Each structure stands twice: as C-alpha cells, then as structure tokens.
Amino acid sequence: MKSLDQFPKLPLGIFPTPIQKLENISRLLHTNVYVKRDDLTGLGLGGNKVRKLEFLLADAKAKGAEVVFTTGGAQSNHAMLTAAAAGKVGMEVILLLKQRGVTRCAGNLLLERILGTDVRFVDTDDYADIYAEMDRIGEALGKPYYKIPCGGSNALGTLGYVDCAREIAGQGMDFDHIVCAEGSGGTMAGMALGAKLFLPGTKVHGMMVDRGPFDRITPALMREAAALLGAEVEITPEDYLLRDVCGPGYAIPSEAGNAAVSLMAEQEGLFLDPVYTGKAFGGLLALAEEGVFREDDQVLFLHSGGAGGLFAVEME
Ligand SMILES: *Cc1c(COP(=O)(O)O)cnc(C)c1O
C-alpha cells in the first residue's frame, strides 16, 4: 500500500482540526459525544471540502491546469470553497451551478460575489450535461482546464477523508462510532475506508441527506480510493452503515434536522446547518434514542461545516 503522503496536497487549510467533548449533549444522551471541528478547516468559512480540495487542486496544478470547473446546487458549499481555494492558488474558476435551492444573492452566492467568482447557472439537473458544458467552455477558452465533480467526490477527493481518519487516529482517543453527513459520498466513503485502515473497531455511520443510491455510491468510492492507495481491503456492508435522514428532500429542511440544529446551538453554542450537519446530527440523536450507543461508548460527530449556506435557508 502507498502512503497518503505520496499524494501531493496543497496546504489550503489548518490541520489537525480539534476534537472537543460535547459535555451537555453527552449528559442528555447518556453517552460520550465528541465533535471533530471540520467547520474550522481554516479556508473560507471552513468545512469538509477543504480536505478534498487539497488533493484535487494539487492534481490540477500538477496537470498544468489554469482553469478549474466545478458544479453543485445554487448554495453549494463545495463550489464556494473551490472558488476561494482556486483564487488562493492562482487559478481561474468557473462554477456551473444548478438552479436548485436559493438562487438570490445570499449565503454562498453572496460569498461568491465577494470572491468575484464567475458563476453561471445551467438549466439542467443532469450532471452529464453539465460536464459536457464544462468541456465546451474549456475548449472555447483554449486554456488547460480541470473538472472537479460535484462535491469533489471522486477517488482522489475521497482521500481527503481517509486522511482525516488517519488524523483522528493520531489525536490519541479511541472512538466506537463516527457519525457524518453523506451528500455526494466522498466524506463518508473516505471516513469509512480510513476507519478500516487506521481506526479498526470504529463503526462509521453515513447520514444520507440526499437520495442516493448511496448503498452503491459508498462502496464504489471506497473501492476506487483503496485502488488509488493500492490498499488490499475487502469492502463489506458492515464497513459503511447508512441511514436516511433526507426528510422532505435534499436542501429542504426537516423537522428532525431543525430540532438538532437548535439543540446543538442551545446546549453547546455551536451552529449546524439544516442541509447537512443538522440532519446528520438528527441521525445521531435517533441512534441514541434507539439505544445504539452504550453509556461508556465514545461517539464522534463530524462537523463538516455549512456556515455559508446557513444564511440562505428559511427555517420555520
Ligand atoms: C458537502 C457537504 C457534506 C457532505 O459531504 P459529501 O462528501 O458531499 O458527502 C456535509 N456537510 C457539509 C457542510 C457539506 O458542505
């Protein structure tokens, strides 16, 4: 197996991110709940995409790209962080965003306005069309370009969270469970593969905030990332525990998610977002309710960010 250190990374963020105990929530849930502060990754307003972009933009640079494309919904945290990162490393960025979600100049679109980002809305929901449009624009520009998929969730982006699992292993605590949001799949797949490699005995739960099919996407990304690393691992369904927390739909707040956002704010003074981390934390609360966690268990919740989008949602 190769070492993760053999893959070039651009230093975009601040790592390792801290792990803190959530004292009040631990008392309420009768177990030990910790938070991995990937909302503090140090670029833009923080968030999980920074870890992926460190690998992806290093690859773009190595391939001589001058222009970076990516895509997502109108309020994509990933798209905004790609814009922030690309500017920092001297690359042009063009975002092709779907007209799904809040399209007025608020939240991440406001941040992209401040960043001076070239944002173009595309009138399709089909990613194949969007990637074809990137090729058309890139060829017309006549400059070398690099396409980052939605959420940065390809095998290389997934290494960002394999690396995060390695980082957790180095932080001196053992966890029985890790809980994270799953939107495009790379975070969960990387964490699940990383746990297999660096955190044996830790169960990883992916809280699905979109309609998958994550039972296929997750193991596929895990296998592709393992192949990149040359890691010989057999991926079985016990390696990636999935739970549907999507509620009324992707980017549409749910009652359980909003309750979780409020609980975290009131008890711990931390802000989650209703699209990803709130729904994911709602899933953690449901697991606690179902008795999945024992009193002496150590449970780690990944706070994957989402602050940019928080200012564009309407919560009842
Ligand atoms: C993108 C995102 C996620 C989901 O990560 P994926 O790798 O796309 O599954 C979770 N939380 C936040 C805040 C995000 O922006």
Side-chain angles (χ1 to χ4, degrees):
M1 180 181 148
K2 283 194 213 166
S3 161
L4 278 167
D5 300 325
Q6 286 172 259
F7 292 83
K9 253 200 297 189
L10 291 179
L12 296 174
I14 303 172
F15 300 106
T17 57
I19 294 176
Q20 287 175 308
K21 186 159 189 196
L22 300 175
E23 297 285 356
N24 296 327
I25 296 221
S26 295
R27 256 193 307 279
L28 284 174
L29 303 187
H30 307 290
T31 187
N32 305 288
V33 186
Y34 294 79
V35 61
K36 173 75 169 160
R37 298 294 304 274
D38 271 15
D39 56 322
L40 301 179
T41 49
L43 181 79
L45 300 180
N48 59 342
K49 304 309 182 312
V50 178
R51 292 187 189 270
K52 300 176 178 190
L53 287 164
E54 288 201 333
F55 286 103
L56 292 165
L57 289 181
D59 188 46
K61 278 263 171 190
K63 291 185 169 141
E66 292 171 24
V67 182
V68 178
F69 289 97
T70 198
T71 182
Q75 286 298 329
S76 167
N77 300 305
H78 161 71
M80 185 276 286
L81 282 168
T82 302
K88 184 174 158 76
V89 301
M91 301 175 95
E92 282 175 55
V93 68
I94 300 175
L95 304 180
L96 299 188
L97 303 182
K98 301 195 282 188
Q99 275 158 325
R100 268 219 282 174
V102 175
T103 54
R104 67 190 150 79
C105 185
N108 283 305
L109 285 168
L110 171 64
L111 299 174
E112 285 150 13
R113 171 76 63 84
I114 294 169
L115 287 161
T117 310
D118 184 345
V119 176
R120 306 183 192 183
F121 283 105
V122 287
D123 193 16
T124 174
D125 255 353
D126 185 343
Y127 280 118
D129 290 348
I130 295 176
Y131 299 130
E133 179 66 10
M134 290 176 184
D135 287 325
R136 270 194 295 278
I137 297 171
E139 270 144 41
L141 280 173
K143 293 180 190 169
Y145 63 93
Y146 189 88
K147 295 182 287 180
I148 296 179
C150 169
S153 285
N154 55 17
L156 189 62
T158 296
L159 291 191
Y161 273 84
V162 177
D163 207 9
C164 180
R166 181 176 67 161
E167 182 178 296
I168 293 166
Q171 287 179 294
M173 268 177 276
D174 283 328
F175 293 100
D176 301 283
H177 300 270
I178 294 179
V179 177
C180 64
E182 176 151 23
S184 62
T187 299
M188 170 60 186
M191 195 67 100
L193 176 62
K196 223 173 147 67
L197 298 173
F198 304 111
L199 303 164
T202 304
K203 292 193 174 80
V204 185
H205 303 261
M207 298 294 170
M208 305 180 287
V209 303
D210 200 349
R211 313 265 174 240
F214 291 112
D215 55 341
R216 271 188 281 147
I217 294 168
T218 314
L221 276 173
M222 288 173 74
R223 287 193 187 103
E224 286 168 33
L228 257 191
L229 283 168
E232 302 213 359
V233 287
E234 206 189 314
I235 310 295
T236 67
E238 292 78 63
D239 297 325
Y240 54 95
L241 305 170
L242 302 178
R243 183 185 187 95
D244 184 357
V245 295
C246 186
Y250 172 71
I252 305 171
S254 71
E255 229 170 89
N258 290 358
V261 171
S262 296
L263 184 76
M264 184 70 101
E266 288 164 11
Q267 296 295 326
E268 305 288 349
L270 297 182
F271 292 109
L272 302 175
D273 75 292
V275 179
Y276 293 100
T277 53
K279 286 182 179 177
F281 192 63
L284 184 153
L285 296 176
L287 291 178
E289 181 84 11
E290 289 161 17
V292 171
F293 308 138
R294 289 190 313 259
E295 209 160 324
D296 59 353
D297 271 355
Q298 305 263 96
V299 180
L300 183 65
F301 175 67
L302 178 76
H303 190 338
S304 44
L310 183 57
F311 297 97
V313 285
E314 268 113 54
M315 281 175 78
E316 302 287 299

